[in-house]
């Protein structure tokens, strides 16, 4: 009878050890992607960060990318203190280069919105047929609505500065073809469709960089805001996890919180493990947490068998 009991215990030990070893061998989440630090709500792979953000911001070959229905855009920086993510658009025109573009758009259900500092300027727009030049208050028979102006007249100096750039001035375009685009969050579709707007290209920037009259030094790109949740509260469980050198993630059928520790082990709290000799919480270094658990399990088996 004892032989059968020991056999079952040994078999259970082998199965548990095999499963635990495979868990420890695969560290799912990382705290950086290339040169960009990664913190909640972003992640470096499936099961990392917040599941609402995982499909939009991904890390591939150490390059962080934002993906929307209009394309893939490199992430240049993340300001966690102000909850702002900065991206660049390779098809965007700047003071150094002009090129045709399809525009930019956000998915309507994406957890992002445009930062107030982001300024979009449409370039080479048709002054005769583009809807952005329709008269304020005019009635549009086709859409059965009153036309709202889409160009900010107070932004005219921005067009003047941009048209002083060598790359744009070489096109010999009249400044009337430039429009500082104003719709909040690009309208209900969250999209700036240049084909519908009948414009050739666009430029976007989020800072004058202290030199408003020098467009060569503006910070070109797009700044997006994000929120943690409806109350914008940073999850306390995630804060505890990160304080213990863990990376916040999720798992299971209901995407419940997990803390991915340096050794590759997932826990439901943090990466502090209690030492067996003084019962005080200690942060175990990389791989030690998994080895400690294997050692503890082995010690337990020896006590049971002998």
């Amino acid at each position: 009878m004892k032989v059968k009991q020991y056999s079952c215990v040994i078999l259970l030990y082998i199965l548990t050890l095999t499963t635990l070893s495979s868990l420890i061998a695969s560290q799912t989440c990382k705290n950086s992607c290339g040169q960009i630090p990664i913190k909640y709500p972003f992640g470096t792979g499936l099961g990392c960060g917040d599941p609402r953000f995982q499909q939009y911001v991904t890390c591939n070959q150490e390059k962080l990318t934002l993906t929307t229905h209009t394309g893939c855009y490199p992430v240049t920086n993340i300001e966690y203190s102000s909850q702002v993510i900065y991206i660049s658009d390779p098809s965007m025109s700047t003071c150094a280069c002009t090129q045709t573009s399809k525009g930019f758009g956000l998915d309507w259900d994406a957890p992002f919105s445009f930062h107030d500092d982001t300024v979009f300027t449409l370039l080479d727009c048709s002054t005769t047929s583009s809807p952005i030049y329709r008269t304020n208050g005019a009635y549009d028979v086709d859409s059965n609505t009153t036309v709202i102006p889409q160009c900010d007249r107070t932004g005219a100096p921005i067009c003047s500065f941009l048209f002083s750039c060598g790359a744009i001035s070489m096109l010999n375009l009249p400044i009337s073809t430039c429009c500082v685009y104003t719709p909040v969050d690009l309208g209900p579709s969250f999209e700036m469709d240049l084909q519908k707007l009948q414009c050739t290209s666009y430029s976007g920037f989020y800072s004058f960089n202290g030199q408003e009259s020098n467009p060569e030094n503006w910070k070109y790109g797009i700044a997006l805001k994000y929120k943690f949740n409806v109350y914008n509260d940073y999850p306390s469980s995630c804060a505890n996890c990160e304080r213990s050198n863990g990376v916040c993630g999720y798992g299971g059928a209901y995407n419940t919180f997990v803390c991915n520790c340096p050794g590759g082990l997932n826990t439901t709290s943090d990466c502090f493990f209690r030492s067996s000799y003084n019962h005080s919480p200690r942060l175990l270094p990389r791989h030690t947490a998994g080895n400690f658990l294997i050692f503890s399990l082995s010690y337990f088996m020896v006590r049971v068998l002998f």
Side-chain angles (χ1 to χ4, degrees), residues 106-294:
L106 285 174
D107 295 2
W108 68 269
D109 57 346
F112 301 100
S113 60
F114 291 97
H115 193 278
D116 294 339
D117 291 341
T118 300
V119 177
F120 290 115
T121 305
L122 309 184
L123 303 172
D124 192 16
C125 302
S126 172
T127 56
T128 58
S129 56
S130 175
I132 63 176
Y133 294 115
R134 291 176 182 173
T135 307
N136 181 24
Y139 187 76
D140 188 344
V141 178
D142 295 332
S143 62
N144 197 30
T145 58
T146 301
V147 174
I148 299 174
Q150 295 180 306
C151 296
D152 185 356
R153 293 182 179 179
T154 61
I158 293 176
C159 286
S160 298
F161 294 138
L162 279 174
F163 272 56
S164 70
C165 297
I168 298 178
S169 62
M170 288 176 61
L171 301 176
N172 293 320
L173 297 171
I175 198 170
S176 58
T177 62
C178 174
C179 166
V180 177
Y181 201 47
T182 58
V184 177
D185 282 344
L186 304 187
S189 62
F190 301 92
E191 186 166 3
M192 178 174 55
D193 189 332
L194 295 187
Q195 185 176 2
K196 290 182 180 179
L197 296 174
Q198 298 184 36
C199 302
T200 302
S201 61
Y202 84 101
S203 180
F205 67 94
Y206 51 84
S207 173
F208 289 116
N209 203 22
Q211 302 181 56
E212 184 173 349
S213 60
N214 186 4
E216 290 185 358
N217 289 335
W218 293 355
K219 291 186 177 180
Y220 292 94
I222 301 170
L224 301 172
K225 298 183 293 185
Y226 64 88
K227 294 176 66 175
F228 302 120
N229 46 54
V230 65
Y231 300 107
N232 203 26
D233 295 328
Y234 199 84
S236 58
S237 56
C238 185
N240 294 334
C241 173
E242 291 178 338
R243 275 196 292 269
S244 64
N245 288 345
V247 180
C248 303
Y250 60 93
Y254 299 101
N255 290 334
T256 53
F257 169 80
V258 295
C259 182
N260 188 248
C261 299
L265 182 71
N266 284 344
T267 75
T268 56
S269 55
D270 53 42
C271 299
F272 288 109
F273 296 90
R274 294 197 172 273
S275 172
S276 59
Y277 55 85
N278 62 4
H279 303 288
S280 61
R282 289 176 175 268
L283 178 61
L284 301 183
R286 180 179 293 274
H287 303 306
T288 305
N291 294 336
F292 173 74
L293 290 178
I294 292 176

Side-chain angles (χ1 to χ4, degrees), residues 45-58:
L46 190 65
C48 306
D50 187 314
R52 296 181 305 127
F53 290 80
Q54 197 278 326
Q55 62 176 315
Y56 298 106
V57 179
T58 56

Side-chain angles (χ1 to χ4, degrees), residues 75-97:
V75 176
T76 57
N77 189 29
I78 302 176
E79 288 184 358
Y80 291 100
S81 59
S82 53
Q83 296 173 225
V84 180
I85 180 171
Y86 298 93
I87 65 171
S88 63
D89 181 358
S91 71
M92 177 190 295
S93 294
T94 65
C95 195
C97 176

